[in-house]
Each structure stands twice: as structure tokens, then as C-alpha cells.
Amino acid sequence: MTDVVRAFEEESLACARVLAELTPPEFARPTPCPPWTVAELIAHVTAAIARVPDGLAAPAPSRADLDASGYYHPRIFDSTANADRVAAAQRAAAAQPDPADLVAAFDHQRRRSMDGIAHQPPDRLIVTRWGDGMALDEFLLTRVVELVLHGLDLAAALDRPIWATSTAAALVTGFLGVDTAATRLGWDQPTALAKGSGRAPLTPDEQTELARIPLRPFG
């Protein structure tokens, strides 16, 4: 099992356990990803991890066009893509008004993903929703990024401590490019994730330190 597969398994399981504990009113809370509620953000993350087994079910592309660092390219963040992403999550959540169904859907896609990964080598090629070819391990890293950083958003909305697992958190701080800066600044992993992804404000000294490195974008 590669570190990326382990991180995906551990992080998705940690998220599933948190979701299973939520009370119905908590699903209606606003999140730091407006206009999404907790329910709608869960629906978005569920769709993100469902792309693993869905991609594996399709024929493999002829070549890899991107690695994980190239996945978050500009067209992911343009106004059309953002509006589509927001609306898709809202529709998915509205189609499952019972919170228990949302939780069950997340757990189903988590398990479906792990089952699919178990039968594939890490360099198996997969097509993204944008039509790009990627190696499975590289694409799976983007799913870990989604789980960890949107996990921060859910934790903030729910007034809960950040639950990021150690392997996943280390991969994402490295992906964001803030692992060395975090050491110099004395950040723990939750702080590095929050500040490195723009989810927490930076002091002037922190801004100076991060200005030295090319941070990767993530919505």
C-alpha cells in the first residue's frame, strides 16, 4: 500500500466517522465555502471521491497529461466551473434530504473507491472529469487534498477540532509546498494546513516566509 492509498483510506474513514456522529441540525449549518451548507459540502466531497471508481471503470487513456501538481489548473477555478460545482453539490444534497442518506452515500463511495484501488497498480492511468490523463496515485493525491482541506472547512462549520490524519496531513502540507516553511515558523500540522491553504490569516512575518515559495492553488 502506497502512502497515498493509506492516506486516502485513513482520511476518508476519519471523515466518515465524524459524519456518522452529526445531528440533523448540523447538516444545515453554513460553511466557509459559501453558499454551501454542511450537507452540500458533504455532497461535493462525496462526488469528488466517487470520481476514483468512476474513472477506473472507464478505459485507461493512452498517456498521462498531468501530475497532481498540475491538476488544479486555471479552468478548474473559472466562473463557469465554479458555478457548475456549486450547483451540482446543491442538487445532490437536495436529492438526499435525509442526512442519513448523505452519510451513507459518502461511506458507500469511500468503500467503492478502496475496492477499486485494491485491484489496480499505482501507475494505472485514469481520466479526470476535465479529460486529462493521470496516474492513479497522482489523481488519488488530489482526492486526499479534497478530503483534508474540505475536512478543515467542515470542522470549522461544525465547531470541531481538525481531524486530519497524520499521513494525509503530511502529504497535503507537502503538496501545498508549506512543509519547510511550517518547520521554520513552528507551525503544527493543523496550522500549516489552514494557513498554507488560505483558510487562516497570516501574520506579516508569515506572509514574508510564504512569499518565498510558490504556493499551489486550491479552492
Side-chain angles (χ1 to χ4, degrees), residues 4-5 7-8 11 44-45 48-49 51-52 66-73 76 126-130 134-150 171-172 175 216-218:
V4 177
V5 173
F8 180 86
E11 192 66 19
H44 169 71
V45 178
I49 63 174
R51 293 193 183 99
V52 176
L66 300 173
D67 60 9
S69 65
Y71 176 81
Y72 293 99
H73 41 66
I76 284 183
I126 187 171
V127 178
T128 73
R129 67 178 294 196
W130 313 104
M134 292 181 70
L136 176 58
D137 246 24
E138 292 292 317
F139 184 68
L140 201 60
L141 176 54
T142 69
R143 304 305 89 184
V144 174
V145 171
E146 297 278 337
L147 283 164
V148 169
L149 297 189
H150 282 318
L171 284 176
V172 176
F175 174 82
R216 294 196 175 101
F218 179 83

Side-chain angles (χ1 to χ4, degrees), residues 46-212:
T46 300
I49 63 174
R51 293 193 183 99
V52 176
D54 289 350
L56 289 172
S62 59
R63 69 178 189 276
D65 303 300
L66 300 173
D67 60 9
S69 65
Y71 176 81
Y72 293 99
H73 41 66
R75 72 174 179 268
I76 284 183
F77 297 107
D78 69 23
S79 58
T80 300
N82 282 333
D84 179 67
R85 180 165 47 240
V86 168
Q90 290 175 324
R91 288 194 301 270
Q96 301 175 95
D98 185 342
D101 291 337
L102 276 174
V103 175
F106 177 88
D107 197 53
H108 171 70
Q109 296 300 345
R110 178 186 72 81
R111 293 175 184 275
R112 186 170 165 246
S113 296
M114 288 305 303
D115 288 344
I117 294 163
H119 302 292
Q120 300 290 343
D123 59 352
R124 198 274 200 191
L125 298 184
I126 187 171
V127 178
T128 73
R129 67 178 294 196
W130 313 104
D132 300 306
M134 292 181 70
L136 176 58
D137 246 24
E138 292 292 317
F139 184 68
L140 201 60
L141 176 54
T142 69
R143 304 305 89 184
V144 174
V145 171
E146 297 278 337
L147 283 164
V148 169
L149 297 189
H150 282 318
L152 267 64
D153 298 325
L154 288 168
L158 297 165
D159 297 320
R160 292 182 177 233
I162 293 171
W163 58 77
T165 56
S166 58
T167 303
L171 284 176
V172 176
T173 54
F175 174 82
L176 293 172
V178 298
D179 41 356
T180 301
T183 299
R184 286 198 289 261
L185 292 165
W187 288 345
D188 58 14
Q189 280 187 328
T191 302
L193 291 169
K195 288 180 178 278
S197 65
R199 283 161 167 77
L202 300 170
T203 67
D205 286 346
E206 290 169 342
Q207 290 176 344
T208 299
E209 182 65 35
L210 293 191
R212 301 174 183 173

